[in-house]
Structure formats: structure tokens, C-alpha cells
């Protein structure tokens, strides 16, 4: 079926995914990546806002636009602040964005927004709180907190794109599937931050969270607890620039659009 003939509602009725949820205790040994905390000081400094109109205007039309924070979310030069949505282990790309929605083209602004409206719609029925409310295209949860092996499954770059399009600024997980981490950096859609423990077992959906990138720290204002994160390192400037191509243009690795 051609993409132009596909009709998708803004946010369909939630249909539970019949695939059983994989618990932490039943996992096998998947391919994922852990990043050691080799320095107590982050190697990058964010020097400008994550999303600005001038930044978006300078990007090529082939570059997927960055997600814009919702009114309930505060994003500054070095931190994110908002509500969190908590998931468990082995959240795969089918749960993040089911394959039936991959015909949507993210470089098309209307389809980019529609793609975001389906983010995390593949979660099983054990998740009783919807990530995006019916008839909405944006989520009120700007931070996703996950467990082990987040983003496993297929290599679809639509997974981080859908999260970014829905309004997510950062994902914090115990570990990531390698391809999801790389796609997050390459598209510049979300910051894939790694925790030093199982924060997903100490935070609850709806908690108010602040992430301080420069200090590699997560603060749960609801519980009053703080957690150490592993520095994002050299991936930080790439994400902040808007993805790998935008970063390459800004650093002179490839000609800019104006050249």
C-alpha cells in the first residue's frame, strides 16, 4: 500500500500487544551497550538551547526536526524538567512504534507529528496509564525512564524519532540496545542517558523529574531522591546540534546548506 493512500487516525483506540512482557528475570543475553563512567566530569558543555527556530531553519529538509517541548516541560541549556513515564526491561522497537506506522515519513512535518502520536502505543496492557491521551498528538511525559536493554529489536530509526516527535527530551535507562543508542544520536531526537542503577524501580509514572546534563544527575522532586547518571560524553554535542548531519555541517566536516 502506498504511503499516500494510508489513512491513520490521530490517536487510535489502544489495542493491547499480545506479546508477553519480558521481565528482568526472564531475559536472555541480548546485544546491548553499556557505557562505563570513566570520568566524574562530563566531556561536553551545552552552549545553546536544545530547540530554537533558527536552528531548525538551518537544517536541511532531509534532517528530521527536533521535538518541541510541551508547555508543561521546561528545557534549558543544561537541563530537562517535567513528568516522567516509567517502563520496564527489554522495551523493544515494536512497543515504541509498531511496524504498521513505519510508512509515515518523518521529514514531512505533518507525518512527523502523526508518528509521534503513536509513540509507545505497542506497550502491553499491563501499562494502564497511556503515554499519549486519546485525540492528542503530544505526551505530557517529557522524560522516559526504562530498565535493561531499552530499544532492543529492529534497527528502525523511527523509534527515537517517534519519541522525539511526541515531546520526549530524554530517555534514562539502565542499558540500551546498541542500535537504539546510535539512532538516538544520529537523529538528534532524544538524549539516551544511562543510569548507574535501576532508577525504573524507584520512580513512578507521573513523578516530577529534573535532569542536569552538566552534572550527570537526575532529581526526583516527588520523592526527594537524587541519582547519578553516566555522562553522555562525545555524543552530547551531536545530539545538541540536531543529529549527525547537522553536527557535521556545524563543524565543517561537510559543506553547509548555504555553501
Amino acid at each position: 500500500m502506498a504511503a499516500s493512500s494510508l489513512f491513520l487516525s490521530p490517536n487510535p483506540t489502544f489495542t493491547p500487544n499480545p506479546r508477553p512482557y519480558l521481565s528482568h528475570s526472564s531475559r536472555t543475553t541480548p546485544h546491548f551497550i553499556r557505557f562505563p563512567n570513566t570520568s566524574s566530569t562530563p566531556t561536553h558543555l551545552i552552549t545553546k538551547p536544545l530547540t530554537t527556530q533558527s536552528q531548525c531553519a538551518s537544517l536541511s529538509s532531509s534532517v528530521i526536526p527536533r521535538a518541541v517541548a510541551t508547555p508543561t516541560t521546561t528545557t534549558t541549556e543544561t537541563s530537562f524538567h517535567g513528568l516522567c513515564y516509567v517502563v520496564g526491561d527489554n522495551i523493544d522497537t515494536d512497543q515504541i512504534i509498531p511496524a504498521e506506522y513505519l510508512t509515515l515519513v518523518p521529514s514531512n512535518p505533518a507525518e512527523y507529528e502523526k508518528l509521534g502520536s503513536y509513540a509507545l502505543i505497542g506497550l502491553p496492557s499491563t501499562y494502564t496509564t497511556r503515554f499519549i491521551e486519546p485525540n492528542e498528538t503530544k505526551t505530557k511525559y517529557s522524560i522516559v525512564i526504562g530498565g535493561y536493554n531499552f530499544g532492543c529489536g529492529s534497527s528502525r530509526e523511527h523509534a527515537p524519532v517517534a519519541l522525539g516527535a511526541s515531546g520526549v527530551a530524554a530517555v534514562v535507562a539502565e542499558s540500551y540496545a546498541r542500535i537504539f543508542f546510535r539512532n538516538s544520536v544520529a537523529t538528534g531526537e532524544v538524549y539516551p542517558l544511562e543510569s548507574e542503577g535501576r532508577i525504573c524501580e524507584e520512580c513512578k509514572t507521573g513523578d516530577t523529574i529534573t535532569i542536569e546534563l552538566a552534572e550527570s544527575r537526575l532529581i526526583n522532586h516527588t520523592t526527594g531522591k537524587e541519582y547519578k547518571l553516566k555522562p553522555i560524553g562525545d555524543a552530547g554535542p551531536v545530539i545538541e546540534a540536531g543529529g549527525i548531519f547537522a553536527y557535521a555541517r556545524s563543524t565543517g566536516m561537510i559543506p553547509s546548506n548555504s555553501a
Side-chain angles (χ1 to χ4, degrees):
M1 178 183 296
S4 60
S5 63
L6 180 66
F7 176 77
L8 297 174
S9 61
N11 197 345
T13 303
F14 179 68
T15 303
N17 191 328
R19 180 174 58 259
Y21 175 70
L22 297 176
S23 67
H24 183 66
S25 59
S26 63
R27 66 180 183 239
T28 57
T29 305
H31 295 290
F32 67 94
I33 188 166
R34 288 176 180 271
F35 292 86
N37 187 1
T38 57
S39 172
S40 60
T41 303
T43 59
H44 70 285
L45 293 176
I46 305 302
T47 59
K48 58 183 178 180
L50 296 176
T51 304
T52 64
Q53 292 182 350
S54 60
Q55 178 190 31
C56 292
S58 67
L59 299 182
S60 168
S61 60
S62 63
V63 177
I64 298 169
R66 298 286 292 278
V68 178
T70 62
T72 58
T73 301
T74 301
T75 301
T76 68
E77 296 180 355
T78 59
S79 66
F80 311 108
H81 179 81
L83 302 179
C84 72
Y85 189 88
V86 180
V87 295
D89 297 321
N90 297 306
I91 298 300
D92 62 39
T93 51
D94 275 327
Q95 294 172 324
I96 297 172
I97 184 68
E100 62 191 285
Y101 305 117
L102 300 186
T103 54
L104 293 169
V105 181
S107 58
N108 181 315
E111 295 191 18
Y112 173 82
E113 183 178 33
K114 186 170 289 187
L115 183 69
S117 72
Y118 297 109
L120 291 178
I121 200 170
L123 288 174
S125 58
T126 51
Y127 291 88
T128 57
T129 301
R130 291 197 60 160
F131 181 64
I132 298 177
E133 295 296 330
N135 302 316
E136 297 291 336
T137 59
K138 299 294 183 182
T139 182
K140 63 181 180 180
Y141 305 103
S142 59
I143 299 166
V144 173
I145 296 179
Y148 173 91
N149 198 32
F150 187 93
C152 57
S154 76
S155 61
R156 66 191 68 165
E157 64 181 18
H158 291 68
V161 173
L163 291 175
S166 72
V168 173
V171 178
V172 179
E174 183 184 3
S175 65
Y176 291 92
R178 183 188 303 271
I179 192 64
F180 179 87
F181 187 95
R182 293 183 63 183
N183 283 339
S184 297
V185 176
T187 61
E189 286 288 337
V190 295
Y191 279 79
L193 303 171
E194 190 176 14
S195 62
E196 293 192 343
R198 288 185 62 77
I199 298 179
C200 63
E201 294 182 348
E202 299 194 31
C203 295
K204 295 181 180 179
T205 294
D207 285 357
T208 301
I209 301 294
T210 294
I211 294 175
E212 298 286 352
L213 282 178
E215 300 175 10
S216 297
R217 180 177 59 148
L218 182 148
I219 306 167
N220 187 326
H221 299 283
T222 303
T223 64
K225 294 183 178 180
E226 295 186 8
Y227 305 91
K228 185 69 175 176
L229 304 177
K230 296 182 180 180
I232 189 67
D234 292 338
V238 179
I239 302 169
E240 193 273 336
I244 189 67
F245 287 107
Y247 178 77
R249 292 187 184 98
S250 68
T251 56
M253 295 180 183
I254 60 176
S256 65
N257 292 332
S258 59

